[in-house]
Amino acid sequence: MDKADGFLTGGGELGALMRARNWSTSPLGSPQTWPQSLRSVVGLMLGSKFPMFVAWGPELGFLYNGAYAEVLGAKHPAALGARFFDIWSEIWPDISPLIDAAMAGEATYREDLPLRMRRRGFDEDTWFTFSYSPVRDESGEVSGMFCACHETTDRILAQRREAAETDRQRRMFEQAPGFICTLQAPEHVFNFVNHAYERLFGARNYVGRSARDCFPELEGQGFFELLDQVYASGRRHIAHGAQIRLRATPDGPEEDRILDFIYEPMSDPTGKVIGIFCEGHDVTETHRAQQAVRESEEDYRCAAELNPQVAWTAAPDGQLDRVAPRWREWTGTSGLDSTYAEGLHPDDVQRTFDVWGASVATGEPYDIVHRVRRLNGEHRWIRSRAFPRRNDQGQIVRWYGSTEDIHEQQVAEDHLRLMVLELNHRVKNSLATVQSIAVQTLRGAESSAEAREALLGRITALAAAHDILTREQWDGAGVGEVAHGVLDALTGDRDRLRVSGPVVRLDAKMALSLSMAFYELGSNALKYGALSGAQGQVTLDWTVEAHQLRLTWTEQRGPPVAQPTRRGFGSRLLERGLAAELAGEVRLRFDPGGLICTIRAALPEPAAIAP
């Protein structure tokens, strides 16, 4: 290398490409003729790990470093020394005003600029943060421009997905009949409130403010302490008939309300409580109506008129002496004597008598959630409550009780708990899968660029499989769906992929495992195999034999294939990891005419198979 080319020393792959390139066809000419100002910028650029490029001369000859090569995608290395316009013609209308400004001596900066690029053979939406700076030659004239950039596509897309999911949850919560809010621990800052919440508690600009700031009138009523307790213990709290004094407006008068609500802790994958989910109902009017009935009528007739509840009374010793006719409509029994037990779920009989016996013995109010057996054989959740009426001496003279059907409410609470548990489980499993992929990829990568490309590809394959399973509500997916979902996203060319076989329904675990296998095979074919050339073809077919799935990946008309000297992460993933995941067998045959991969796996019982 001539001393005049010394500024190209190092620079990794790009430095080597610049030293070896024939510059006779480039508008830049030989590096030996480059002015010192351009050499200085190129030397600085090659030594940086940040994506950079410089465009020089009347035709804006293009030079860049190794980090920027990843931005170019398939346009590298042909872009080296080419004209700026020829490289990025598809985005020229978006960036040419910025280029003109830089060449006129004015630096420009853009943050998260959307650009529709064609760098892998297809158009894709991208976002970049970058600056264009003028570069002056020895005479002081602007002869080129310098750019340092950062691709923010992944962040923008992640934000959009998060916003879409948040919007979906928001719409779901807005349809809920009760009030809902979410609080972020430990200061209990509001993240979300629905319309029912604002109707009950007033519009107070909740989001981003703590509960103490929004509700100063609640200080000393125990609600803030209850939130702290749920956050510290990680245990939910269910309240029935909780009394609260609040203002409908910040400056309005205080009024008493009665609420039924649940505080459900929300945890991250490690089990740490990060927030609280609150759902409830304003039952003030119901409680006031019940209180008015009790105050105006001490006779059973008042309790019997409660609707749609079943009213009943009992003697001081706990023996039921009158039950509203609705109980017979529900169970076909009178509810008196031993028939009351006949109307309950067998598993709830003893518990019901134990709780009722304790109330009769202590005089404490009776409150239990149990199940009733309806005439049609259905078991529904009910809530039974009773309060004693005492004489002037404090002796119990009668018990007044009511039983209400709370089946929908109980099912909704159970469903909510299952949703929280399922969400924690899926997030934990997904993070564990991504962590395993990252560890194995970084361990086997020879460079940061290779690690980045492999890691992004494998996570993309995992995301494609997740998209399919999400559409199917995680009830499994077909082999063809998984293959097309991963391979179409990877290659963007269905004409060179032939996928055929019977309809076979896989469970979620098997679908995720095969998605990673299809990605490794497709990625290898694009880099080294049949899909690396224009004439190559890949066939993926499968059959079912003796309840065993047999898949065959065959590559044809690609470069000659030879047995590799070492096994990379992809091969290890297929031959060891995948075989273990599927409890089957994976074989790779490096036939000179093309790679052949055979996968055998036992199908779960039962599996949906159609010709």
Side-chain angles (χ1 to χ4, degrees):
M1 179 177 61
D2 192 282
K3 288 185 177 180
D5 298 340
F7 68 96
L8 298 178
T9 303
E13 176 194 358
L14 264 297
L17 286 174
M18 288 186 185
R19 293 192 295 271
R21 192 189 190 287
N22 179 2
W23 294 92
S24 61
T25 59
S26 171
L28 293 169
S30 171
Q32 297 178 356
T33 66
W34 295 353
Q36 184 57 45
S37 51
L38 176 57
R39 295 183 181 193
S40 299
V41 174
V42 171
L44 172 67
M45 178 180 69
L46 289 177
S48 176
K49 298 296 185 183
F50 200 82
M52 298 176 178
F53 71 81
V54 61
W56 189 267
E59 297 184 81
L60 295 178
F62 205 75
L63 301 169
Y64 52 92
N65 63 1
Y68 191 81
E70 298 180 18
V71 176
L72 288 164
K75 296 184 177 185
H76 168 73
L80 186 61
R83 294 171 178 80
F84 196 169
F85 173 81
D86 294 336
I87 299 169
W88 291 120
S89 60
E90 70 269 21
I91 61 172
W92 197 256
D94 299 306
I95 63 175
S96 60
L98 307 178
I99 296 173
D100 293 341
M103 297 304 292
E106 178 185 352
T108 59
Y109 173 81
R110 291 294 184 271
E111 184 173 356
D112 295 333
L113 180 69
L115 297 169
R116 190 161 181 81
M117 289 181 164
R118 191 181 306 115
R119 50 185 177 173
R120 297 180 179 87
F122 56 90
D123 290 341
E124 57 180 313
D125 292 326
T126 66
W127 287 263
F128 283 86
T129 295
F130 62 91
S131 64
Y132 284 170
S133 303
V135 181
R136 300 182 184 274
D137 60 18
E138 284 70 16
S139 67
E141 295 296 324
V142 176
S143 293
M145 54 162 283
F146 173 78
C147 173
C149 67
H150 173 62
E151 184 170 359
T152 59
T153 302
D154 289 344
R155 175 174 61 80
I156 296 296
L157 292 179
Q159 290 174 347
R160 290 187 172 188
R161 288 192 296 269
E162 181 179 355
E165 177 62 19
T166 300
D167 184 61
R168 186 189 68 81
Q169 293 181 357
R170 185 183 303 275
R171 292 196 302 270
M172 179 181 67
F173 289 152
E174 288 296 357
Q175 297 172 1
F179 62 82
I180 292 177
C181 73
T182 58
L183 302 167
Q184 179 179 340
E187 299 299 327
H188 311 308
V189 175
F190 282 97
N191 286 331
F192 170 80
V193 297
N194 68 349
H195 293 322
Y197 196 96
E198 290 188 325
R199 285 195 299 269
L200 175 61
F201 300 108
R204 305 192 183 207
N205 298 322
Y206 297 96
V207 177
R209 299 176 60 202
S210 70
R212 283 182 166 86
D213 290 340
C214 292
F215 294 102
E217 70 269 26
L218 294 187
E219 197 69 54
Q221 297 189 44
F223 289 93
F224 301 142
E225 293 77 5
L226 181 57
L227 286 171
D228 292 338
Q229 178 182 339
V230 173
Y231 168 66
S233 67
R235 294 190 295 269
R236 74 174 57 87
H237 178 83
I238 301 176
H240 295 288
Q243 295 188 353
I244 182 173
R245 295 189 311 278
L246 53 80
R247 297 185 177 95
T249 61
D251 300 325
E254 290 188 354
E255 61 175 326
D256 293 330
R257 310 297 294 178
I258 301 175
L259 309 176
D260 288 349
F261 63 88
I262 177 173
Y263 284 162
E264 181 74 37
M266 300 185 298
S267 304
D268 64 14
T270 67
K272 178 183 177 181
V273 177
I274 59 175
I276 295 175
F277 177 87
C278 172
E279 180 181 13
H281 299 268
D282 180 8
V283 294
T284 304
E285 300 307 321
T286 301
H287 277 257
R288 287 175 178 173
Q290 293 174 345
Q291 181 179 5
V293 170
R294 288 193 298 269
E295 291 176 352
S296 62
E297 295 287 350
E298 293 184 353
D299 198 298
Y300 172 77
R301 178 179 56 83
C302 298
E305 291 175 355
L306 291 174
N307 188 29
Q309 302 174 2
V310 174
W312 48 272
T313 61
D317 64 357
Q319 187 69 35
L320 272 65
D321 53 18
R322 195 168 183 185
V323 179
R326 184 174 293 277
W327 183 262
R328 185 178 294 277
E329 296 173 7
W330 284 0
T331 68
T333 69
S334 66
L336 301 176
D337 301 320
S338 62
T339 64
Y340 184 77
E342 297 173 9
L344 297 177
H345 190 289
D347 294 342
D348 292 344
V349 172
Q350 188 59 50
R351 180 171 62 90
T352 299
F353 286 154
D354 289 344
V355 175
W356 176 236
S359 293
V360 171
T362 63
E364 293 295 323
Y366 172 67
D367 194 342
I368 187 173
V369 174
H370 47 177
R371 286 164 291 183
V372 66
R373 177 187 54 77
R374 291 293 187 99
L375 282 172
N376 60 4
E378 176 189 16
H379 288 94
R380 293 180 62 86
W381 288 101
I382 57 174
R383 183 183 182 192
S384 298
R385 289 179 289 184
F387 297 86
R389 180 167 66 86
R390 301 176 184 271
N391 58 20
D392 294 339
Q393 290 75 39
Q395 298 172 327
I396 296 176
V397 296
R398 185 166 294 279
W399 286 88
Y400 292 88
S402 66
T403 298
E404 61 179 321
D405 187 334
I406 61 165
H407 188 75
E408 282 71 24
Q409 174 186 343
Q410 188 69 25
V411 170
E413 291 178 359
D414 291 342
H415 181 63
L416 174 62
R417 286 190 288 271
L418 287 175
M419 285 177 59
V420 172
L421 291 174
E422 178 65 11
L423 178 61
N424 287 340
H425 175 72
R426 289 187 181 175
V427 169
K428 183 183 296 183
N429 285 348
S430 296
L431 289 177
T433 301
V434 172
Q435 182 182 30
S436 175
I437 291 174
V439 170
Q440 295 296 331
T441 300
L442 295 176
R443 181 183 299 164
E446 297 183 355
S447 68
S448 60
E450 178 185 350
R452 174 186 174 87
E453 180 182 359
L455 182 58
L456 288 177
R458 286 163 183 153
I459 292 178
T460 299
L462 181 64
H466 272 249
D467 287 343
I468 296 170
L469 290 171
T470 300
R471 290 196 299 268
E472 299 295 328
Q473 300 183 343
W474 283 80
D475 193 32
V479 177
E481 291 179 276
V482 175
H484 279 302
V486 175
L487 296 176
D488 289 356
L490 180 64
T491 66
D493 187 357
R494 283 200 173 193
D495 293 336
R496 301 177 64 190
L497 295 169
R498 295 182 179 177
V499 178
S500 64
V503 175
V504 179
R505 190 78 173 172
L506 307 174
D507 60 25
K509 178 181 178 183
M510 197 170 185
L512 289 175
S513 298
L514 283 180
S515 71
M516 298 306 298
F518 294 151
Y519 168 77
E520 296 300 332
L521 291 168
S523 177
N524 183 75
L526 281 171
K527 292 180 179 179
Y528 315 108
L531 298 182
S532 65
Q535 302 301 320
Q537 183 80 40
V538 172
T539 300
L540 173 65
D541 56 55
W542 62 91
T543 59
V544 176
E545 304 170 359
H547 219 73
Q548 262 206 344
L549 179 64
R550 185 180 187 275
L551 297 100
T552 303
W553 170 282
T554 305
E555 298 184 20
Q556 297 173 325
R557 297 198 296 275
V561 174
Q563 183 74 25
T565 57
R566 68 180 185 88
R567 284 289 197 265
F569 171 65
S571 297
R572 295 195 302 273
L573 174 70
L574 290 168
E575 293 181 318
R576 300 177 188 173
L578 180 62
E581 283 285 331
L582 299 178
E585 180 184 50
V586 178
R587 291 186 178 180
L588 295 175
R589 193 175 78 200
F590 297 90
D591 190 273
L595 173 69
I596 299 176
C597 176
T598 303
I599 302 172
R600 290 181 180 271
L603 291 171
E605 293 279 359
I609 304 170

